[in-house]
Amino acid sequence: MDKIKQLRNIFKGDSIIWMIFFLLCIISIVEVYSSSSILGYKTGNYWYAAVYHTSLLFLGLLAMVCVLNVPCRYFKVMTPLMVPISLVLLVLVYIIGTKENDAARWIKLFGVIPLQPSEIAKGTMVLATAHILSQLQTADGAHPKAFKYVCLTAGGLIALVFPENFSTAALMGAVVFLMMIIGRVPMRQIGYLCTGVAVVAVVAVLLVMTVGKSSEQLAKESMAQGRQYTEVSVKEGKKEEPVVVKRGGVLHRLDLWKDRIDNFLDNKYVAPKDYDLDKNGQVGHANIAISSSNFLGKGPGNSEQRDFLPLAFSDFIYAIIFEELGWLGAAFVAMLYISLLFRTGYIARQCENTFPAYLIMGLALMIVIQALFNMCVAVGLAPVTGQPLPLISKGGTSSIINCIYIGVILSVSRTAKRRDMPKTAAAHSVAK
């Protein structure tokens, strides 16, 4: 009995949220170990990726336990501190950031600890939006000033993320939009926002499609300018390809976005023997992994495409889940995220105060929308982006911060004042 009490003291909060979290972690460890075999081959240590990822999840678990023991009313106090910190970090990433996949997204604290400021900015944006909507909430909904303050705060964070990480900026914008609807912002202002976003989106797409250049265009320009060819032996039956020099700055990002849009919209049938796996390796091998699976899959550790699929342990881990666990396992993983959102909604409805309700709904939407978008990319329903699968993909900063998000949800489930709970009972629960 004493051991059971000790476990209950550690694993406080909603039991269903805990169960979903542990199931996602178990799937994550198994699939990261399976999909990172190429890293094991290169390093000679087949356990390194799984051990490293497990250690990150353990650190995330410790952070989650610490956060869930903090009464939810103290999260509001952190808003004035987190907003300037996030803004400074987002600016620093452009000055001293480390480039990865041709985008500056990381900075190293003390020259050692890697940190992705956009991950911190996502949580800060949700925290600030929940704070503003709760403070300016009236009997008839959010005060009209709430819309302006949310747009200024969230818009500033999104604008700094956008140039180097469009998919994360779009995710943040979608979450803020849904939080405004949940926070009862006047529909007239929501309509203005939708119109403005639609106009900006059309202009942005036109800019990308007119100014951006595809890989084929850059290759032709390289050939016209007489650039050297890569040294590839013709005897091996391979074509010589021109060295394509990428354009720098914002132009390179426009070229990348144009390539992704063109590839996604290109519905022309290509025979399997003519498909260029060197050019579209991620999409091609992901499609092979999904199409070669069945209802139950090939079994954990039996994936064949993990050795060919780039970033199989990160951006396209859902394709490996499809291949190994089948359609049933893939559907189960999707249902875990949907269950997380519905359970968080149930907890939010029980909250008497609006701030904790808006906060956990924003965090749950952030996790679930990112997860569903990652799944859509893996199955070919959305353009390729760099969004990992939350709590499952191999990661660093994102894995720990997602655990903190879960800790906040558990804290609210444990300490928030409930609608049907008398004040004395609520005070006793918080004290306990």
Side-chain angles (χ1 to χ4, degrees):
M1 292 296 294
D2 292 337
K3 291 183 178 180
I4 294 176
K5 290 182 180 179
Q6 291 175 357
L7 288 174
R8 287 179 177 175
N9 289 332
I10 296 175
F11 302 112
K12 301 174 184 177
D14 189 80
S15 58
I16 295 179
I17 299 292
W18 272 111
M19 182 175 65
I20 294 171
F21 171 75
F22 278 124
L23 287 173
L24 289 173
C25 287
I26 291 171
I27 294 171
S28 174
I29 293 171
V30 172
E31 293 304 320
V32 166
Y33 172 70
S34 175
S35 59
S36 60
S37 59
I38 189 67
L39 293 180
Y41 175 76
K42 291 179 178 179
T43 61
N45 185 350
Y46 292 94
W47 287 98
Y48 173 76
V51 171
Y52 176 76
H53 181 64
T54 304
S55 63
L56 284 177
L57 288 178
F58 181 74
L59 290 175
L61 176 62
L62 294 179
M64 187 172 71
V65 171
C66 292
V67 171
L68 73 86
N69 282 283
V70 177
C72 62
R73 64 179 181 273
Y74 291 115
F75 296 138
K76 185 181 290 187
V77 182
M78 298 175 62
T79 307
L81 179 66
M82 291 303 300
V83 171
I85 289 177
S86 297
L87 291 173
V88 170
L89 289 175
L90 289 174
V91 172
L92 283 177
V93 78
Y94 291 99
I95 302 173
I96 60 173
T98 302
K99 282 199 171 184
E100 182 171 318
N101 295 330
D102 298 317
R105 298 176 181 176
W106 298 83
I107 60 175
K108 289 189 177 180
L109 296 179
F110 312 109
V112 179
I113 304 173
L115 178 68
Q116 193 170 3
S118 60
E119 292 295 328
I120 297 176
K122 290 194 297 186
T124 300
M125 182 202 67
V126 171
L127 179 66
T129 303
H131 192 157
I132 294 169
L133 291 175
S134 63
Q135 287 294 105
L136 296 177
Q137 198 68 211
T138 67
D140 299 324
H143 192 279
K145 289 183 178 180
F147 176 78
K148 178 177 68 175
Y149 295 146
V150 169
C151 288
L152 288 174
T153 306
L157 294 170
I158 294 172
L160 289 173
V161 173
F162 175 79
E164 294 291 340
N165 201 338
F166 170 75
S167 58
T168 298
L171 170 66
M172 293 168 67
V175 172
V176 168
F177 176 76
L178 292 174
M179 288 185 70
M180 284 185 181
I181 295 177
I182 294 172
R184 302 191 300 167
V185 170
M187 294 308 297
R188 176 172 55 86
Q189 293 179 323
I190 295 291
Y192 292 154
L193 179 63
C194 291
T195 303
V197 170
V199 171
V200 172
V202 170
V203 173
V205 171
L206 290 175
L207 180 66
V208 169
M209 302 307 291
T210 54
V211 179
K213 296 183 179 181
S214 64
S215 299
E216 289 78 6
Q217 290 175 307
L218 293 174
K220 290 178 180 179
E221 290 181 3
S222 299
M223 294 176 66
Q225 295 172 8
R227 299 193 185 280
Q228 296 179 349
Y229 285 81
T230 55
E231 297 180 0
V232 180
S233 174
V234 180
K235 294 180 180 180
E236 296 177 1
K238 298 179 181 180
K239 297 180 180 179
E240 293 183 345
E241 297 291 342
V243 176
V244 179
V245 179
K246 297 178 180 178
R247 300 193 293 177
V250 178
L251 292 177
H252 165 56
R253 302 303 296 174
L254 294 178
D255 298 340
L256 176 64
W257 296 337
K258 180 177 174 60
D259 255 343
R260 289 179 173 177
I261 293 173
D262 287 340
N263 291 334
F264 179 69
L265 296 178
D266 186 9
N267 295 321
K268 182 176 67 176
Y269 174 76
V270 179
K273 63 183 180 63
D274 297 327
Y275 193 90
D276 189 356
L277 286 175
D278 292 329
K279 179 181 176 182
N280 296 313
Q282 287 183 315
V283 175
H285 289 294
N287 289 337
I288 294 172
I290 294 172
S291 61
S292 63
S293 66
N294 50 42
F295 187 70
L296 296 177
K298 299 176 181 177
N302 293 324
S303 171
E304 297 176 0
Q305 297 305 312
R306 63 188 176 187
D307 295 329
F308 307 100
L309 180 60
L311 299 177
F313 48 82
S314 180
D315 300 350
F316 279 82
I317 196 170
Y318 193 63
I320 305 301
I321 292 174
F322 243 109
E323 186 180 12
E324 295 189 349
L325 303 183
W327 294 81
L328 182 62
F332 177 72
V333 171
M335 286 304 302
L336 286 177
Y337 288 106
I338 299 299
S339 300
L340 174 64
L341 180 61
F342 275 89
R343 187 61 183 179
T344 303
Y346 171 79
I347 296 171
R349 286 196 301 271
Q350 301 301 313
C351 295
E352 182 176 321
N353 299 318
T354 55
F355 171 72
Y358 295 157
L359 176 61
I360 63 173
M361 282 306 300
L363 295 177
L365 286 168
M366 185 73 70
I367 294 174
V368 175
I369 292 176
Q370 180 177 333
L372 295 179
F373 192 78
N374 175 280
M375 295 174 188
C376 288
V377 170
V379 300
L381 295 179
V384 176
T385 65
Q387 293 297 322
L389 190 59
L391 296 172
I392 290 184
S393 293
K394 178 180 177 293
T397 307
S398 60
S399 297
I400 296 175
I401 290 181
N402 283 324
C403 290
I404 293 175
Y405 292 166
I406 300 296
V408 173
I409 296 174
L410 290 170
S411 172
V412 170
S413 73
R414 187 179 70 88
T415 64
K417 189 186 300 183
R418 299 181 182 178
R419 294 181 183 274
D420 57 347
M421 182 184 295
K423 294 183 178 180
T424 54
H428 176 70
S429 176
V430 172
K432 184 178 179 180

